[in-house]
Amino acid sequence: MLLSFIMAMKKKWADTSTLSQAFLYLDNHEQVYHFLHGLLTSEEMNDLQQRFDIAARLIFGHSYVSIQQELGVSSTTVARVAKSIKMNPGAYESVIKPMYNITEGGK
């Protein structure tokens, strides 16, 4: 039973690592943009953008209420992104902070 679980986890990792590796072959914003738009529907792209916008605001210390008002999202959506940030320490920050030129200890 443990062996089947390990094999399933390896398969799951292999499946998602192939996608993440694909991004390494893209050289610039335009290529990433076209890749994402080819891969995702407009709705999926909007959902990802919304999650990213929520994550950025949470990292910058905005309140749930202000995020809800600014982006027109539910408290459940904000909480879901906050949980993702908590469960994956550094994942969002490793992209968002450099994008906005934020360094440890301030701006």
Side-chain angles (χ1 to χ4, degrees), residues 3-43:
L3 181 59
S4 63
F5 173 76
I6 292 170
M7 295 303 290
M9 291 307 294
K10 283 184 177 181
K11 182 177 181 346
K12 181 179 180 180
W13 172 250
D15 291 346
T16 58
S17 70
T18 303
L19 176 60
S20 61
Q21 286 178 354
F23 284 92
L24 299 174
Y25 292 93
L26 304 172
D27 294 323
N28 56 48
H29 174 265
E30 185 177 346
Q31 287 181 350
V32 173
Y33 178 86
H34 287 294
F35 178 67
L36 287 173
H37 278 277
L39 187 65
L40 304 169
T41 66
S42 293
E43 185 176 340

Side-chain angles (χ1 to χ4, degrees), residues 37-87:
H37 278 277
L39 187 65
L40 304 169
T41 66
S42 293
E43 185 176 340
E44 291 167 333
M45 191 69 173
N46 289 337
D47 289 346
L48 283 175
Q49 180 64 56
Q50 183 181 74
R51 285 181 64 99
F52 190 81
D53 292 343
I54 293 168
R57 284 167 173 77
L58 286 169
I59 289 166
F60 293 144
H62 293 221
S63 71
Y64 279 37
V65 173
S66 69
I67 294 169
Q68 288 173 251
Q69 292 171 345
E70 290 173 26
L71 300 178
V73 297
S74 70
S75 60
T76 303
T77 301
V78 178
R80 197 173 295 133
V81 175
K83 181 179 179 181
S84 179
I85 291 170
K86 184 177 180 180
M87 298 298 291

